[in-house]
Amino acid sequence: VDPGRAPLQGGGLVGGSTGGGSNCFWDTETSGTLKGVGSKSVDPEGAIGMTTPQMKDVQKYLAVGWDFVGESTNGIFEVWEMPDDGRHPVLSVTNRHHPNQLRGQGTPENPYLIARASELGAVCHEPGACYRLTGPIDLSNIRWSTAVIPLFAGTFDGNDLRVTNLTIKGGGHLGLFGRLLVDARVENLNVTDANVVASSSFDGILAAYITGKVVNCQASGKITGDDSVGGLVGFSERDSSITHCSSAATVSGHYGIGGLVGGGISNRVIESTSTGAVTGSLYVG
């Protein structure tokens, strides 16, 4: 420390950052500071300081959309769990929690089978496997603040069935799928009556950001975001493809707003349609 300068105060959550965040907490008592991010004069909205007793109150986390074991209002992945010994939340996988066991083996010849909403939560625990819907999925009365399946690298066959009443409100990369990686393939899936409200970039009802393939998929409902917002896909990266797809969604935002796809780099869109209303400020299609 330079003796000629006053020491800088660290942050209870982050020492230094030029970015933002959402729904993050730190213990003001154990950290010894009321400041969340050391490099900022004013903490960002997503940094929330709480006392030690408050850190052990599950209702504080449920109120902002954290997904806990045993409840489905905030999602079906059962990410978090409150330990019996009265500590703050821990990741459920580190607390000996076992996700739903699906029928099948997750291979192309014998994919995992999904018949109900609760089983959809198992996808995030093995995102590189093969899946197939065997029944329609109704997501009524479940809300998300992130993508339902944040990252996916496998094959998802919708079997020409519907996922209905998807509701998400949060930051960026929102959709049924957040990121489809280069080997990912989503096909024969219809996402209907969706309502997606995003406060930042890269959002689509089916998928937010893709580098893989989307084939024979449809989307309807409404989606609102900032930039790179599409009725089906938010942003389609180089070498990705969208084939035989359609969107009837209402799409609104500011920059890079599209009825089918919000934005893309050297992407391919083949034999696809859009029929929904689209509004925006710049690069609107």
Side-chain angles (χ1 to χ4, degrees), residues 76-77 100-103 113-124 131-132 134 137:
I76 50 180
F77 290 132
N100 282 324
Q101 299 299 308
L102 302 178
R103 292 171 294 153
L113 302 180
I114 298 173
R116 55 187 63 88
S118 60
E119 294 178 335
L120 191 63
V123 178
C124 76
Y131 297 86
R132 179 187 297 144
T134 60
I137 304 295

Side-chain angles (χ1 to χ4, degrees), residues 233-245:
V233 170
F235 194 90
S236 180
E237 182 61 274
R238 184 177 287 107
D239 298 328
S240 64
S241 64
I242 298 169
T243 307
H244 300 155
C245 292

Side-chain angles (χ1 to χ4, degrees), residues 127-128 149-155 177-186 207 209-214 237-241:
I149 302 170
L151 190 72
F152 190 68
T155 298
F177 295 89
R179 284 181 174 266
L180 296 182
L181 300 187
V182 65
D183 293 327
R185 180 183 176 96
V186 177
Y209 195 111
I210 72 170
T211 53
K213 294 177 173 57
V214 176
E237 182 61 274
R238 184 177 287 107
D239 298 328
S240 64
S241 64

